[in-house]
Amino acid sequence: PSVGLIGAPFCKGQPRGGVEGGPDLIRGARLVERLQAGGCAVKDYGNLQFEEFADDEPVGVVKNAKAVGSANQRLSEAVHAIKKDGHTSVMLGGDHSLAIGSIHGHAAAVGELSVVWVDAHADINTPMTTETGNLHGQPMSFLLRELRSKTPTLPNFSWIKPCVSAKNLVYIGLRDVDPAEHFILKLLGVKAFSMTEVDQLGISRVMEQTCDYLCDKVQKPIHLSYDVDAVDPSVTPATGTPVIGGLTYREGLYVTEYLCQTGRLSAVDMVEVNPLRGQTEQEVQSTVGTAVDLLLGCFGRQREGNHAPDYQLP
Ligand code: ARG
Ligand code: MN
Ligand code: MN
Ligand code: MN
């Protein structure tokens, strides 16, 4: 399994500075070396550079539309190229508005895909329902075919073609969902395992049911979009919108191990790591270390241990 790594140091989908430091911080925690030590070939495509817009006026309440639209167009092309090169794409954010480009580029390369969205938040507000105006709370609304008529075209968003069907989306970890988002989830019948279902079923049955739901009929590639705030803030405090009552470290890791063994993980996002939101160096290290462990889980690291297929006892 080869990994194509792309850094997206972008923060304009939300108001807090610092999240653009995510990619280099995660690399600094030796992600590449540790993937390689686990037997993974890695090609690092480096960090994207994004255009700045002096005239990025709010559209209604929606902030930084031009910057977000343009950054995601670049990211979409980059992920498309990584997939065409034959890699599993790993996008390091940056804020979660980047899922627009990552998922769009993935779908452009492989066609129909399944999306597993692991997050405290549903990030499915439309520009008409958002209460904050932050585009990191809205990415899924631009990607779902069923919401096409509900999302006005923002400046620099006209390249986006909705490419995900509601039936191919599963949420895990929800616990802070706006009323309009809850309405949309029910209207579209989106499969969602909130923290209540995690409590009820346990994470193993949540993953079993996630894959039964997505995995039958056609074997579509899986896009895992992992917001580090899905995990409890006692473990991943350095993030912009922490919410109490999240996945434990072990539950968060189990999600990645389970998806890995499906053999269908085709792209992964790791977003919302924000070093400036940690109160102490220890809080930042715990958040970054967890992000790296989650990515290692996606690419075959097992808690039981691993060894190379050609291992020889000395
Ligand atoms: N629902 C809120 C909003 O629309 C919070 C979104 C948080 N999103 C995130 N990617 N952390 O702004
Ligand atoms: Mn193509
Ligand atoms: Mn979130
Ligand atoms: Mn999110």
Side-chain angles (χ1 to χ4, degrees):
S2 75
V3 167
L5 191 65
I6 183 76
F10 182 79
C11 66
K12 299 228 165 105
Q14 49 85 65
R16 292 156 288 265
V19 75
E20 70 281 2
D24 287 345
L25 203 70
I26 292 170
R27 282 198 192 82
R30 303 182 57 77
L31 172 65
V32 172
E33 295 82 350
R34 294 183 65 194
L35 283 169
Q36 287 167 339
C40 230
V42 182
K43 175 164 178 190
D44 193 343
Y45 287 74
N47 284 349
L48 291 170
Q49 288 190 18
F50 300 116
E51 203 179 331
E52 304 218 25
F53 294 86
D55 57 338
D56 209 351
E57 300 306 323
V59 180
V61 297
V62 177
K63 299 169 209 157
N64 305 322
K66 286 181 187 169
V68 171
S70 160
N72 276 286
Q73 187 169 18
R74 289 193 183 176
L75 176 58
S76 174
E77 283 161 14
V79 170
H80 188 179
I82 289 170
K83 288 310 299 172
K84 288 298 177 188
D85 286 349
H87 304 291
T88 300
S89 169
V90 172
M91 187 276 285
L92 306 178
D95 72 63
H96 218 166
S97 68
L98 294 162
I100 299 171
S102 183
I103 292 175
H104 194 279
H106 186 194
V110 309
E112 263 327 284
L113 42 81
S114 298
V115 175
V116 179
W117 193 281
V118 184
D119 201 327
H121 309 95
D123 294 347
I124 198 167
N125 274 300
T126 75
M128 318 302 287
T129 70
T130 175
E131 296 169 20
T132 62
N134 301 330
L135 278 158
H136 78 155
Q138 309 173 45
M140 272 315 306
S141 77
F142 302 103
L143 292 165
L144 283 178
R145 297 192 175 99
E146 288 84 352
L147 289 177
R148 188 188 297 265
S149 66
K150 297 295 172 190
T151 50
T153 302
L154 302 173
N156 288 352
F157 275 58
S158 61
W159 58 275
I160 300 171
K161 292 181 194 63
C163 52
V164 178
S165 292
K167 67 174 192 320
N168 297 331
L169 169 63
V170 175
Y171 283 103
I172 299 171
L174 300 181
R175 57 191 183 278
D176 183 10
V177 176
D178 299 335
E181 294 185 298
H182 187 250
F183 179 85
I184 291 169
L185 295 182
K186 296 299 164 185
L187 178 74
L188 303 185
V190 175
K191 190 77 171 168
F193 298 96
S194 74
M195 287 311 297
T196 302
E197 280 72 44
V198 174
D199 287 342
Q200 223 160 49
L201 302 169
I203 198 68
S204 69
R205 271 188 290 185
V206 166
M207 293 317 295
E208 220 174 85
Q209 290 181 23
T210 294
C211 287
D212 285 353
Y213 177 82
L214 293 174
C215 296
D216 51 9
K217 40 200 188 248
V218 225
Q219 297 274 304
K220 290 184 295 298
I222 296 175
H223 187 111
L224 170 61
S225 204
Y226 212 124
D227 185 329
V228 81
D229 74 27
V231 176
D232 193 78
S234 58
V235 180
T236 56
T239 190
T241 52
V243 188
I244 193 169
L247 299 173
T248 63
Y249 175 87
R250 284 157 54 181
E251 290 166 339
L253 196 54
Y254 188 87
V255 171
T256 65
E257 290 171 339
Y258 196 95
L259 292 176
C260 174
Q261 58 86 38
T262 65
R264 298 195 299 126
L265 251 193
S266 173
V268 181
D269 310 322
M270 185 54 64
V271 298
E272 300 283 356
V273 171
N274 186 337
L276 296 186
R277 302 303 289 180
Q279 304 286 309
T280 62
E281 190 51 31
Q282 143 71 21
E283 287 198 356
V284 175
Q285 282 321 310
S286 174
T287 306
V288 177
T290 301
V292 169
D293 290 350
L294 295 171
L295 288 168
L296 293 172
C298 290
F299 296 100
R301 181 175 181 268
Q302 307 180 131
R303 284 174 280 180
E304 65 165 45
N306 297 81
H307 67 265
D310 59 349
Y311 188 88
Q312 303 255 2
L313 264 190

